[in-house]
Amino acid sequence: MDKPATECLDIRPERGKLFSWQRRSTVVLPLAGVAIAIFALWVLSQHLNAISVAEIQNDLHNFPVAPLLLATLFTVISFAAVAFYDVVAVETIAPGRIPPRVSAMAGAAGYAISNALGFSLLTGGALRYRVYAAQGIELADIGRIVGTSWFAIWFAFAIMAALAMVAEPGQVPWLATLGPELDLAIGLAVLVGITALVAWLSRGQRTLGFGRISLRLPSSRGALVQIAAGLVDLAAAAACLYVLLPSGSVGSFSAFILVYVVAVILGIVSHAPGGIGAFEAMIVAGLGLGGNSEALAGLVVYRIIYTLLPFVVAVVGLLVSEILRHRHRLAGPASAASLLLEPLIPPLSAGIAFAGATMILISALTPSLAERIDTLSEFIPLPFVEMSHLGASFVAVALLIVARGLAKRLRRAWLAALVLFISGAVFSLAKGLDWEEALVLSLMTLTLYVFRDSFYRRPLSADMHLSWGWLASVGTTLCACIWLGFFAFRHVEYSSQLWWEFAFDGDAPRMLRASVVIVTLLLAVLVDTLINRRVLTLAPQGRIPERVPALVADAPLSAAALALLGDKRFLLAADGEGFVMYQRSGGSLISMGEPVGTEEAVTALAWSFHELADRSGLRTVFYEVGPQRLPMFLDMGLVALKLGEVARVDLAAFTLEGPKRQPLRYADRRVEKDGLTFEIVAKADVPGIMAQLRAVSDEWLTLKSGSEKRFSLGFFNADYLSRFDVAVLKRGDRIVAFANLWRSGDRNEVAVDLMRYRHDDCKVMMDALFTKIMMAAKAEGYRWFNLGVAPLSGLTDHRSASRWNRFGSLLYQKGQEFYRFDGLRAFKDKFDPVWSANYLICPPALDTPRALFDVTTLISGRPLIGKRK
């Protein structure tokens, strides 16, 4: 396959207001999460003044075994209960369509991912989308499944808190000063309300509506199962932490449960990875554990068992799935596991990078082991130790940034991560003989190498900026690690000389210098994201490969002439017998129509284009295609949206005779009566009339108060128009209307592209121009005349039709104020055409509206429906 021709893209800074409403909406929530995390770290600082890191390390070293085993058991129970959330949700929304083992694994794995990485709806929700979409579930139903599952979790929070209030009123933190009566009243009110809800559900199928959004509620039996699962989940998760806390540190289990529930909620709201900082601050402040080093050691162990251990299990599961993926005889649970775990590779790889970066940061910002530093000092000079310490800090921040590229399956991110992991392992040994850290980083390197086939995307643009959400995750992680460093060295008296002290035992100065490097890198990335966010803008011209004009001349469809506009890129067949004309818009790679070429070349090129988009991390879109090759597009996993219908006139049967042709005969005679003459100017003579054509075009654009469209429509360009014959109507020597003619190969069809006229001439001029062109094309022996698309025509509004069809039909009926849909169809119906469906091919679910936005932006420069004349 030949490489695409020169790229027709220009990278330019995004214009417009720096903080538009859309940008505010994407910034506020991440900033709120960072604010909550910073406040939580401040709360921790206020409560941990009396504890040193050495005390916590000693308690961790002497941690008893029995609580560890119990905590592991409770973790298994909790994640097993979590699986039932999705099992019930799937059976409620899409009964019988997904095997319970798949929905159970999706629920448990999704929770493990979101529990470790934060942004629950964006991580665990994305996983569920991938799994359920692979099973053929529509986006709306996937949203309902996730919504039902999340309702169950929040119901569990409410029920667990209510039970704690009822069990021990007066012992609830924050409410104890108001008396036990208030605790009991609130708890009973919540329980009575939920009991009434279950009773209401037992009377039949119920649906909850929010405006136009509807959510089918589970049956009373399903609700009870979810409630039971929620109680088991929360009780087991809380028990996991409870058994790890020292005996006597928590007075009441009911009070502990309530504090735990609030801590989990606060961690979710903070959007920090794993709720880091916010969860710990709530536990420490709510239970009064600030002076208890054993309790803090228990919190550290809880993070390892309940957050890190499930994440590690998921990584091991990925290794197993990688083996299964290369086996051709999969059946039963094995195939289900492979189906589930394959989509986990990108987010888990990002999690691995995040975890590795966090480990390096903690190591770089906390005291080193004295005996290892003494050993290191005998072999490595001090400057190498200092540079390795700063190098490790740089590697950690870079890994946090590269993790986003891993989540997007970018090949260059995978290569960068390998280099960073290897460098981190070397720096870990050189800065403090941290062989355990180097071993873990080496294993992470090996894991990424095993998954190398999953990172295949090579974007067309080298530009990739972090989202505000990802920056928030990076920022909260760095803040937490720097806070840990200052906490570890808070006994050190700071002075200006401390910054310039270099010694093998100078851990505190190294921590300060590393913190400066970390904050500087973070600010640099933040400023770059704030100021230099870029969008891809179409360049005005592009190079047309030499083979393309000949292929256009032989193409059976006249719309292949759009390849000559000069605003597209090309993907050529290896043998030169076909091409795809396409452009990028937003996150989509958009082909204008089907590939052009021989039958064999078209199929191969369509798949090659799909692979190109996938490798580039972009959505595959085919704009304006017919129904003939729909099965091929469906095999690609894409969906077809009906855009309208194409009108084609059978020229062999076309005549001006008969009563139905009376309006056309009138128009034809009227222009002759008004002194207008028709002529087809050969393309060789078009440059001589270009000035007149431009004057007509400029007047027409002024009349329409519009601007030139692109990509799917021709625009006025002298070089472009000179490639075609042009049909004109003249008043004397003055041109008053024109249309350039597209002629297909083998005299299959003729179409007009730019059709423009002066507004002060004959009212039926367009009818006459079309009529005369058709009669001329018929005389030349052409089979069809293509009148173009009638947007949204032919869409059904049947209640069982797809949502897109019903929406398009409603817009067709009600949108006449903005666009004369019925008027355009009525104009084309005058010629008694044959109507055929016209489609947009794009990915399903959430990618569908994004693809529509990208297409309309590409054509008209803004997300509005473009007018086709």
Side-chain angles (χ1 to χ4, degrees):
M1 184 67 63
D2 290 353
K3 295 182 179 179
T6 305
E7 305 293 354
C8 301
L9 288 182
D10 184 22
I11 307 297
R12 300 174 185 172
E14 184 178 11
R15 295 181 179 179
K17 294 182 179 180
L18 187 61
F19 289 105
S20 64
W21 170 250
Q22 182 179 4
R23 184 166 297 184
R24 287 194 193 100
S25 65
T26 61
V27 173
V28 170
L29 288 180
L31 286 181
V34 173
I36 291 173
I38 292 175
F39 178 74
L41 294 174
W42 177 82
V43 170
L44 281 176
S45 299
Q46 301 303 306
H47 285 80
L48 302 182
N49 287 327
I51 300 177
S52 67
V53 172
E55 292 177 286
I56 299 175
Q57 290 175 334
N58 182 65
D59 291 330
L60 287 172
H61 183 73
N62 298 316
F63 210 91
V65 176
L68 297 178
L69 297 177
L70 280 174
T72 304
L73 175 62
F74 285 129
T75 297
V76 173
I77 294 173
S78 175
F79 278 89
V82 164
F84 280 95
Y85 292 151
D86 275 38
V87 171
V88 175
V90 167
E91 286 305 306
T92 300
I93 305 302
R97 298 180 61 185
I98 299 177
R101 62 179 179 274
V102 174
S103 55
M105 286 188 291
Y111 186 71
I113 295 292
S114 61
N115 195 39
L117 300 183
F119 292 95
S120 301
L121 290 177
L122 299 180
T123 52
L127 166 67
R128 290 178 176 89
Y129 161 69
R130 288 176 177 271
V131 175
Y132 297 146
Q135 295 284 339
I137 306 299
E138 293 184 354
L139 172 64
D141 284 340
I142 295 175
R144 292 186 179 100
I145 290 172
V146 175
T148 302
S149 179
W150 269 85
F151 266 124
I153 294 175
W154 288 97
F155 268 120
F157 287 155
I159 294 172
M160 189 63 75
L163 288 174
M165 294 178 186
V166 172
E168 296 187 61
Q171 301 298 317
V172 179
W174 316 294
L175 298 178
T177 57
L178 301 179
E181 294 81 7
L182 180 60
D183 296 358
L184 186 61
I186 295 176
L188 287 175
V190 173
L191 294 178
V192 168
I194 292 176
T195 302
L197 174 62
V198 174
W200 179 61
L201 293 175
S202 66
R203 298 181 180 179
Q205 182 65 57
R206 302 290 186 178
T207 301
L208 190 62
F210 303 94
R212 296 184 178 179
I213 300 174
S214 63
L215 179 64
R216 187 184 308 154
L217 298 178
S219 64
S220 58
R221 180 176 175 273
L224 289 173
V225 171
Q226 283 193 319
I227 289 172
L231 294 177
V232 172
D233 165 34
L234 277 179
C240 176
L241 176 58
Y242 187 81
V243 299
L244 295 173
L245 297 177
S247 178
S249 60
V250 179
S252 165
F253 185 74
S254 299
F256 170 76
I257 282 286
L258 189 59
V259 172
Y260 180 84
V261 167
V262 175
V264 172
I265 294 173
L266 193 60
I268 293 174
V269 173
S270 72
H271 293 300
I276 186 170
F279 176 85
E280 286 78 7
M282 188 68 248
I283 293 294
V284 169
L287 298 177
L289 301 177
N292 193 328
S293 62
E294 293 182 0
L296 294 178
L299 274 170
V300 174
V301 175
Y302 169 80
R303 279 295 190 183
I304 295 172
I305 293 178
Y306 196 79
T307 303
L308 185 59
L309 183 60
F311 189 79
V312 172
V313 170
V315 173
V316 174
L318 276 175
L319 290 171
V320 174
S321 74
E322 191 72 7
I323 297 172
L324 293 176
R325 195 161 61 93
H326 294 289
R327 297 178 61 182
H328 301 291
R329 295 180 180 179
L330 296 176
S335 62
S338 180
L339 172 69
L340 171 66
L341 294 175
E342 169 62 21
L344 285 175
I345 292 177
L348 282 181
S349 299
I352 288 173
F354 233 95
T358 303
M359 179 181 64
I360 296 172
L361 284 170
I362 293 174
S363 175
L365 297 171
T366 54
S368 304
L369 296 177
E371 59 274 15
R372 295 188 182 183
I373 290 294
D374 291 339
T375 303
L376 190 67
S377 64
E378 298 178 5
F379 302 98
I380 298 181
L382 179 59
F384 284 94
V385 175
E386 298 287 352
M387 292 302 297
S388 297
H389 202 272
L390 294 177
S393 303
F394 172 83
V395 165
V397 178
L399 275 175
L400 292 176
I401 296 171
V402 166
R404 177 168 172 81
L406 293 176
K408 290 180 171 291
R409 297 181 183 263
L410 300 186
R411 189 69 175 180
R412 67 175 185 265
W414 176 79
L415 290 171
L418 286 183
V419 173
L420 290 171
F421 275 132
I422 294 171
S423 302
V426 173
F427 289 143
S428 297
L429 293 173
K431 71 181 179 60
L433 285 181
D434 296 323
W435 62 268
E436 301 94 341
E437 182 180 322
L439 177 61
V440 171
L441 292 173
S442 299
L443 291 175
M444 290 179 173
T445 305
L446 178 62
T447 301
L448 278 183
Y449 182 76
V450 169
F451 298 142
R452 60 190 179 277
D453 292 339
S454 296
F455 303 93
Y456 55 84
R457 289 177 172 169
R458 294 178 171 87
L460 298 176
S461 167
D463 188 49
M464 190 196 81
H465 288 269
L466 299 183
S467 67
W468 291 108
W470 199 274
L471 274 175
S473 294
V474 171
T476 52
T477 301
L478 295 179
C479 288
C481 291
I482 291 175
W483 173 88
L484 181 61
F486 279 95
F487 174 75
F489 293 103
R490 70 181 187 278
H491 60 281
V492 177
E493 295 183 4
Y494 292 99
S495 63
S496 58
Q497 289 80 14
L498 199 61
W499 294 91
W500 315 111
E501 289 184 6
F502 298 92
F504 280 104
D505 59 351
D507 286 331
R510 278 195 288 269
M511 183 275 293
L512 289 176
R513 291 189 288 269
S515 298
V516 171
V517 169
I518 292 168
V519 172
T520 301
L521 290 174
L522 177 62
L523 290 177
V525 173
L526 178 62
V527 170
D528 179 64
T529 301
L530 184 66
I531 296 178
N532 296 322
R533 288 185 69 87
R534 298 177 175 93
V535 295
L536 288 167
T537 305
L538 291 175
Q541 296 290 338
R543 185 177 71 85
I544 300 173
E546 294 180 1
R547 180 70 179 130
V548 166
L551 291 171
V552 169
D554 293 336
L557 298 179
S558 58
L562 285 167
L564 306 179
L565 269 173
D567 64 345
K568 297 175 181 67
R569 299 174 179 177
F570 295 89
L571 181 67
L572 294 173
D575 57 3
E577 292 303 312
F579 66 87
V580 178
M581 48 178 159
Y582 69 96
Q583 258 298 6
R584 173 178 177 175
S585 177
S588 301
L589 208 62
I590 303 169
S591 167
M592 182 57 232
E594 301 174 359
V596 176
T598 63
E599 188 67 26
E600 297 77 11
V602 166
T603 301
L605 280 168
W607 281 100
S608 297
F609 179 74
H610 184 44
E611 292 168 1
L612 172 64
D614 186 50
R615 289 197 308 270
S616 304
L618 301 172
R619 290 178 287 274
T620 302
V621 179
F622 292 88
Y623 181 64
E624 290 197 354
V625 302
Q628 294 80 10
R629 292 189 175 86
L630 283 185
M632 176 184 66
F633 296 127
L634 296 179
D635 287 343
M636 295 178 182
L638 306 175
V639 297
L641 303 183
K642 189 174 182 181
L643 296 175
E645 292 180 308
V646 176
R648 300 174 78 214
V649 178
D650 184 355
L651 293 177
F654 182 73
T655 177
L656 295 182
E657 303 300 325
K660 293 180 64 176
R661 296 290 189 262
Q662 193 278 331
L664 300 182
R665 290 198 302 273
Y666 170 77
D668 186 55
R669 294 167 182 168
R670 175 65 186 273
V671 295
E672 293 178 358
K673 182 178 179 181
D674 287 350
L676 298 180
T677 57
F678 173 77
E679 178 184 350
I680 295 180
V681 180
K683 61 182 178 181
D685 299 325
V686 168
I689 61 172
M690 193 63 67
Q692 287 198 64
L693 299 182
R694 184 178 295 280
V696 173
S697 177
D698 291 345
E699 183 176 328
W700 184 87
L701 288 172
T702 302
L703 173 67
K704 298 299 180 181
S705 299
S707 59
E708 297 276 24
K709 302 297 187 288
R710 303 276 170 158
F711 189 69
S712 68
L713 296 167
F715 51 85
F716 193 94
N717 177 277
D719 293 335
Y720 171 65
L721 286 178
S722 298
R723 294 178 179 269
F724 307 100
D725 296 344
V726 177
V728 299
L729 284 176
K730 292 182 176 180
R731 186 181 300 279
D733 293 330
R734 180 173 177 258
I735 295 176
V736 296
F738 75 88
N740 63 310
L741 303 182
W742 288 345
R743 302 175 186 268
S744 73
D746 197 27
R747 297 187 182 273
N748 183 55
E749 72 173 16
V750 173
V752 300
D753 179 25
L754 277 74
M755 183 185 63
R756 300 182 176 179
Y757 54 88
R758 296 184 184 274
H759 70 279
D760 57 350
D761 270 279
C762 179
K763 302 300 182 184
V764 293
M765 186 160 40
M766 286 300 96
D767 290 7
L769 182 59
F770 269 95
T771 300
K772 290 182 178 296
I773 292 174
M774 288 184 197
M775 296 303 294
K778 179 178 180 178
E780 293 178 21
Y782 281 89
R783 299 183 185 91
W784 298 93
F785 184 84
N786 192 323
L787 285 164
V789 180
L792 303 181
S793 172
L795 274 67
T796 178
D797 60 352
H798 192 280
R799 60 181 299 177
S800 299
S802 70
R803 293 177 180 84
W804 167 256
N805 272 271
R806 283 181 284 158
F807 171 76
S809 179
L810 177 66
L811 185 60
Y812 184 88
Q813 298 171 27
K814 306 297 184 181
Q816 305 303 330
E817 180 180 350
F818 305 101
Y819 190 95
R820 293 286 299 175
F821 296 106
D822 58 348
L824 182 59
R825 171 145 187 146
F827 170 78
K828 297 181 179 183
D829 264 334
K830 294 178 184 178
F831 301 93
D832 195 21
V834 176
W835 294 95
S836 60
N838 184 258
Y839 295 95
L840 170 74
I841 308 297
C842 63
L846 284 173
D847 285 329
T848 297
R850 294 169 180 166
L852 287 167
F853 184 93
D854 291 341
V855 168
T856 51
T857 301
L858 176 62
I859 294 171
S860 62
R862 57 190 182 276
L864 299 174
I865 298 176
K867 297 180 181 180
R868 182 162 189 166
K869 297 294 176 185

